[in-house]
């Protein structure tokens, strides 16, 4: 598997660290209910199909990336910088 | 039909013409007292113990493919009771005792072999951690022996004792640990359940869960609707999809774990051996193949095959530990889909829907749990109460903070 980093180009999967579903980007605000924190930290849609997840280009540009890919075929359809994400 | 040594001999003399199928192939009935979704090891053992321990025989196991097609037929068959945390400790201890009586209980040869499992350590810190784990195992009533370097050398002379990168300091021997034939476990429980009246329905995929006013009423399947007052979801790597049919979002992320087997060799590795550095573990099957594996591929996946970086990593770890295996040829590799939880421990619990139960989150350690998981899930489904050895496997423990993080790696699904 190769990921196309927007800054570094096509790179071997081993250069990247996988963190988890992009749910991690939706951190509950201060004072949010405990259930919101539970959901954020633990619960996942976990679909068999297209997902967006968070990867870190550890051996490259050190940017956090949102990777759009298929969990059944391992096909990657998009890699975007978290830093350029629209809120 | 009862199996015995005498039966094997007489059938051999009669040209093996007298054997009958090990279980029936019934069509689904319109309704059952209870339905188990998933015909893997855990679904089958649950059905078996519902019938045997609780007298509930009007039940069906619905399997979307064939019995044994999931992780029960893909694992590396290690059976052990070397857990540390209260909650896990008593559960796996109970499971190992059930393993020890399994062949007599099922009248089936599952080739359970208590050849001893050895976890190696490569630093003072790791040795201290193993000593502590060994004490916890002994306190639980199981067995553990701390080996020094020479003790390990006596049992495993083929390890590389010269290398300086990961020097072998010693190991923890769990004499009652070992392995078993994975398919036979599925077949044995399937046959035992069938003999007690359970309908095993293969090629029957559950596509919906019927719920009325918060109470489960049955399931929709590719072979029609089936009614039931009690439904158990026991589908391992597919737990999130099936739970979603009941509107639930689980603390699970599915990952692929690979395993490998070599050509058959003469007996050379007599134990189950785990490397304490770099994830690698190995044993030798009765056919002679070296069966080994390592870590997850690390990213969420439903592909039953892995990627090359982990293949390379596992081979490297194996070569570092025991260079002699370098000359064996790898015959096959494969993957299975693991239901990873944020603390690495399983769930056996009720859900917020009346009559709907769930048994999932086995990560990559659910083979050894097959008997006790079935025992406890059957207890829960029959009585409505958690069994005492599974009382900490709650679905809400993540919300309440009662995590069972055996490895202490934090609440990230792929780190356990
Ligand atoms: C490579 C590998 C190595 C492993 N090594 C070990 C080990 O050494 N020791 C150990 O203890 N554990 C090990 N495990 C883990 C162990 O195999 C699993 O935790 C355990 O088998 C999971 O439970 P199960 O047997 O019920 O799962 P499965 O056999 O996967 O059963 C689930 C069943 O549900 C069915 N299903 C799914 N969706 C539906 C639906 N909608 N309708 C109907 N049926 C459905 C599936 O077809 C499947 O047959 C390993 C796993 C793998 C992949
Ligand atoms: Zn980059």
């Amino acid at each position: 598997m190769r990921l196309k980093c927007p800054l570094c180009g096509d790179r071997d999967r081993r250069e990247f660290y996988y963190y988890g579903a992009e749910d991690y980007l939706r951190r509950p605000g201060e004072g949010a209910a405990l259930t919101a924190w539970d959901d954020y930290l633990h619960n996942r849609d976990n679909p068999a199909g297209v997902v967006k997840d968070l990867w870190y280009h550890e051996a490259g540009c050190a940017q956090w990336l949102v990777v759009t890919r298929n969990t059944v075929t391992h096909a990657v359809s998009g890699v975007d910088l978290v830093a350029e994400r629209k809120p | 039909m009862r199996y015995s040594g005498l039966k094997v001999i007489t059938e051999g003399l009669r040209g093996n013409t007298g054997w009958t199928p090990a279980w029936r192939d019934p069509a689904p009935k319109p309704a059952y007292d209870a339905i188990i979704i998933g015909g893997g090891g855990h679904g089958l053992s649950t059905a078996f113990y519902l019938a045997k321990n609780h007298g509930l025989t009007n039940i069906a196991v619905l399997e979307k493919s064939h019995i044994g097609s999931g992780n029960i037929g893909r694992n590396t068959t290690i059976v052990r009771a070397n857990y540390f945390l209260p909650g896990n400790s008593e559960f796996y201890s109970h499971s190992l005792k059930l393993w020890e009586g399994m062949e007599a209980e099922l009248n089936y040869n599952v080739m359970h072999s208590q050849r001893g499992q050895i976890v190696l350590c490569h630093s003072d810190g790791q040795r201290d951690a193993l000593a502590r784990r060994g004490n916890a195992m002994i306190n639980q009533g199981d067995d553990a022996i701390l080996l020094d370097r020479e003790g390990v050398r006596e049992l495993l002379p083929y390890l590389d004792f010269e290398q300086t990168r990961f020097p072998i300091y010693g190991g923890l021997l769990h004499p009652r640990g070992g392995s078993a034939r994975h398919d036979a476990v599925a077949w044995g429980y399937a046959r035992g359940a069938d003999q007690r009246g359970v309908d095993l329905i293969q090629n029957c995929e559950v596509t919906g869960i019927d719920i009325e006013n918060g109470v489960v009423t049955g399931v929709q399947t590719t072979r029609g609707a089936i009614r039931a007052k009690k439904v158990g979801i026991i589908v391992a790597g597919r737990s999130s999809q099936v739970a979603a049919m009941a509107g639930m979002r689980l603390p699970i992320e599915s990952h692929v774990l690979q395993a490998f087997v070599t050509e058959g060799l003469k007996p050379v590795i007599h134990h189950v051996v785990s490397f304490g550095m770099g994830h690698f573990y190995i044993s030798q099957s009765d056919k002679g193949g070296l069966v080994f594996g390592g870590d997850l591929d690390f990213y969420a996946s439903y592909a039953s095959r892995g990627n090359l970086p982990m293949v390379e990593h596992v081979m490297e770890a194996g070569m570092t530990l025991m260079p002699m295996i370098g000359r064996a040829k790898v015959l096959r590799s494969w993957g299975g889909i693991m239901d990873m939880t944020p603390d690495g421990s399983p769930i056996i619990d009720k859900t917020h829907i009346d009559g709907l139960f769930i048994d999932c989150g086995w990560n990559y350690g659910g083979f050894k749990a097959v008997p006790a998981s079935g025992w406890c899930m059957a207890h829960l489904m029959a009585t409505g109460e958690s069994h005492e050895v599974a009382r900490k496997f709650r679905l809400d423990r993540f919300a309440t903070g009662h995590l069972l993080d055996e490895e202490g790696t934090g609440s990230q699904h792929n780190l356990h």
Side-chain angles (χ1 to χ4, degrees):
Chain A
M1 189 158 107
R2 291 173 78 80
L3 297 177
K4 192 167 183 177
C5 173
L7 299 184
C8 312
D10 230 2
R11 293 299 181 94
D12 188 286
R13 171 257 173 281
R14 274 168 285 199
E15 292 192 2
F16 301 86
Y17 172 78
Y18 169 87
Y19 189 38
E22 64 149 3
D23 302 35
Y24 281 124
L25 292 175
R26 290 184 286 272
R27 192 184 168 88
E30 214 176 313
L34 279 179
T35 51
W37 283 105
D38 175 36
D39 227 29
Y40 164 75
L41 279 171
H42 308 123
N43 297 331
R44 296 291 176 259
D45 288 342
N46 192 27
V50 176
V51 289
K52 283 183 185 293
D53 41 30
L54 276 187
W55 298 66
Y56 177 63
H57 198 177
E58 194 174 26
C61 58
Q63 287 294 306
W64 281 97
L65 307 167
V66 176
V67 176
T68 310
R69 60 184 188 96
N70 190 311
T71 55
V72 179
T73 62
H74 291 165
V76 178
S77 54
V79 183
D80 300 294
L81 291 171
V82 170
E84 289 187 351
R85 202 174 42 111
K86 306 206 173 53
Chain B
M1 183 194 290
R2 239 197 107 69
Y3 296 152
S4 66
L6 185 64
K7 182 94 193 146
V8 171
I9 293 166
T10 51
E11 277 305 319
L13 294 174
R14 276 199 255 143
N16 287 308
T17 48
W19 299 114
T20 53
W23 56 82
R24 298 164 295 132
D25 185 20
K29 291 193 255 175
Y32 290 94
D33 292 337
I35 283 174
I36 306 296
I37 310 174
H42 294 240
L44 294 166
S45 63
T46 300
F48 176 81
Y49 289 119
L50 273 173
K52 184 175 178 210
N53 294 355
H54 305 281
L56 221 71
T57 56
N58 182 30
I59 59 182
V61 175
L62 310 181
E63 166 54 48
K64 76 170 176 187
S65 179
H66 60 268
I67 297 293
S69 57
N71 291 330
I72 188 65
R74 293 167 182 269
N75 62 75
T76 41
T77 72
I78 301 173
V79 175
R80 56 187 166 92
N82 60 350
Y83 283 71
F84 179 75
L85 291 180
N88 281 331
S89 216
E90 59 265 40
F91 176 82
Y92 290 101
S93 179
H94 180 60
S95 204
L96 188 54
K97 290 187 194 99
L98 292 174
W99 273 102
E100 288 167 338
M102 187 187 292
E103 296 183 338
E105 181 168 42
L106 298 177
N107 173 231
Y108 206 91
N109 180 8
V110 301
M111 297 160 82
H112 182 215
S113 151
Q114 295 183 291
R115 58 187 69 176
Q117 185 225 9
I118 300 166
V119 180
L120 299 167
C121 58
H122 312 271
S123 67
D124 286 330
Q126 269 193 329
R127 184 171 42 208
D128 290 350
L130 284 189
R132 185 164 176 244
R133 179 171 296 268
N135 286 337
M137 290 159 69
I138 290 166
N139 280 342
Q140 180 59 46
D142 295 314
D143 59 350
I145 300 168
L146 195 63
L147 302 173
D148 61 10
R149 184 177 161 89
E150 288 317 305
V152 171
R153 197 197 295 269
E154 224 163 87
L155 296 177
L156 315 174
Y158 49 79
L159 299 184
D160 183 359
F161 287 89
E162 306 307 318
Q163 62 137 320
T164 48
R165 179 67 183 90
F166 301 118
I168 293 163
Y169 273 49
L172 188 66
L173 168 66
H174 173 32
R176 283 165 66 224
S179 80
R181 172 74 203 268
H182 49 13
D183 307 294
V185 174
W187 298 332
Y189 275 114
R191 172 170 166 269
D194 174 87
Q195 282 173 344
R196 284 168 176 79
V198 174
D199 281 359
L200 306 178
I201 302 173
Q202 306 183 66
N203 300 310
C204 180
E205 179 171 355
V206 171
T207 53
I209 297 177
D210 298 331
I211 298 159
E212 279 168 31
N213 305 319
V215 180
V216 76
T217 59
V219 296
Q220 299 292 325
T221 79
T222 47
R223 295 178 70 174
I226 309 175
R227 280 178 285 114
K229 288 197 180 67
K230 289 180 180 176
V231 174
I233 301 174
I234 316 181
V235 294
R238 294 277 165 179
S239 296
S240 296
Q241 277 80 54
V242 177
M245 295 173 195
M248 292 164 65
R249 193 165 179 261
L250 296 179
I252 285 182
E253 194 172 271
S254 293
H255 284 262
V256 61
L257 178 70
Q258 305 193 58
F260 310 85
V261 66
T262 69
E263 61 194 320
L265 303 168
K266 287 188 176 168
V268 55
I269 293 179
H270 309 295
H271 308 83
V272 177
V273 183
S274 301
F275 193 13
M277 299 302 297
H279 212 97
F280 174 83
Y281 58 93
I282 189 165
S283 65
Q284 187 167 18
S285 79
D286 289 0
K287 275 194 288 187
L290 305 181
V291 180
F292 57 99
D295 232 321
L296 297 175
D297 271 28
F298 280 123
Y299 46 87
S301 172
Y302 282 91
S304 298
R305 58 178 169 74
N307 246 313
L308 289 173
M310 192 46 68
V311 177
E312 191 175 26
H313 175 84
V314 170
M315 302 296 162
E316 280 173 1
M319 288 300 290
T320 306
L321 183 65
M322 41 179 85
M324 69 160 183
I325 64 171
R327 299 179 71 181
K329 293 185 180 65
V330 174
L331 280 191
R332 282 180 289 124
S333 72
W334 64 93
I337 306 305
M338 316 279 69
D339 32 340
M340 304 298 296
T341 56
D343 63 356
S345 294
I347 294 160
I348 303 179
D349 208 351
K350 303 175 192 178
T351 67
H352 68 289
I353 293 152
D354 244 14
L356 184 66
F357 303 85
I358 190 156
D359 175 311
C360 65
W362 292 96
N363 296 269
Y364 34 66
F367 179 63
K368 69 179 95 67
V370 163
S373 168
W375 186 281
C376 296
M377 181 67 167
H379 181 94
L380 175 68
M381 288 184 70
T383 67
E385 302 292 331
S386 286
H387 189 277
E388 59 171 356
V389 301
R391 70 190 191 291
K392 296 205 169 172
F393 296 160
R394 308 310 292 265
L395 181 56
D396 68 359
R397 70 173 181 272
F398 304 97
T400 60
H402 294 86
L403 275 68
L404 290 166
D405 189 349
E406 183 80 22
E407 294 185 21
T409 44
S411 63
Q412 192 179 319
H413 303 74
N414 62 343
L415 293 187
H416 297 280

